[in-house]
Amino acid sequence: MCKNAMNFISSYIPPEGSSEPAWWFIFQNDRMLVRVVDERVEVPKVLDPGSLYRGPLRTQYLGALDGVRCYAAALEGRASIDGGMALFTLRELFGRAPDDLLRVAARAFHVLYWDENTRFCGRCGRQMELSKTERAKLCPSCGFTGYPRISPAVIVAVVKGNEILL
């Protein structure tokens, strides 16, 4: 970790009654809502995300980045975006937004993807409910528990001397 890296603490339970602005990682499909300032882009840090757009929002609490609450949110349906804001894919934001915020943005995208794709139980089809004790979804009918998918990858090279064999 580099010297100036921000400290992210993951959580699934938002703190109650906070009146401080929070980071809002708001997505419409695969694009994230950011504020455009000159050549820079900024992740919105606001008290009320409704000041950035008009439309329904589905949210998940992510944790805190250097003590500032972080939320993932998905714009549902057709949302109207206020001036000064734009939608970018995460790839388009590389080099334009701070790395620490991009790491949390990637987590936000992952959590929202999981949330959207596990609305209904894979066993019985009933609507899933968020767990109150962990980042999971529970089926009230059959008791199935669904967690966000972790898909690790390993990149290796099989070498002999200076040659790559595989």
Side-chain angles (χ1 to χ4, degrees):
M1 184 158 74
C2 70
K3 277 185 180 177
N4 298 327
M6 299 171 98
N7 183 29
F8 180 74
I9 299 173
S10 180
S11 181
Y12 58 91
I13 301 173
E16 292 184 29
S18 180
S19 61
E20 298 294 319
W23 294 109
W24 284 90
F25 300 88
I26 302 173
F27 287 84
Q28 186 172 53
N29 300 319
D30 67 339
R31 298 181 310 153
M32 189 171 87
L33 186 67
V34 293
R35 181 172 286 116
V36 180
V37 180
D38 299 324
E39 294 296 312
R40 293 180 301 114
V41 294
E42 297 175 351
V43 176
K45 186 177 178 185
V46 295
L47 188 58
D48 175 23
S51 65
L52 307 171
Y53 69 95
R54 290 177 198 8
L57 192 68
R58 180 173 42 89
T59 65
Q60 288 276 334
Y61 182 67
L62 298 172
L65 182 63
D66 272 358
V68 178
R69 294 169 298 129
C70 297
Y71 290 89
L75 295 170
E76 296 189 333
R78 292 188 174 246
S80 171
I81 298 167
D82 289 346
M85 304 299 288
L87 292 163
F88 289 90
T89 65
L90 291 179
R91 183 171 294 234
E92 291 170 325
L93 294 174
F94 285 127
R96 296 185 71 186
D99 289 347
D100 292 312
L101 291 174
L102 284 176
R103 278 191 281 280
V104 178
R107 178 184 295 252
F109 183 80
H110 180 235
V111 168
L112 290 171
Y113 180 85
W114 164 77
D115 184 46
E116 174 64 23
N117 290 290
T118 57
R119 292 185 307 157
F120 299 96
C121 179
R123 285 189 185 156
C124 71
R126 183 143 181 211
Q127 189 163 357
M128 300 283 275
E129 299 173 354
L130 283 173
S131 171
K132 293 179 179 19
T133 60
E134 60 186 336
R135 187 168 314 276
K137 288 194 176 181
L138 309 171
C139 178
S141 179
C142 71
F144 176 74
T145 302
Y147 298 95
R149 181 181 300 176
I150 298 172
S151 302
V154 177
I155 300 173
V156 297
V158 178
V159 296
K160 181 177 181 184
N162 292 331
E163 296 180 10
I164 293 180
L165 302 177
L166 182 62

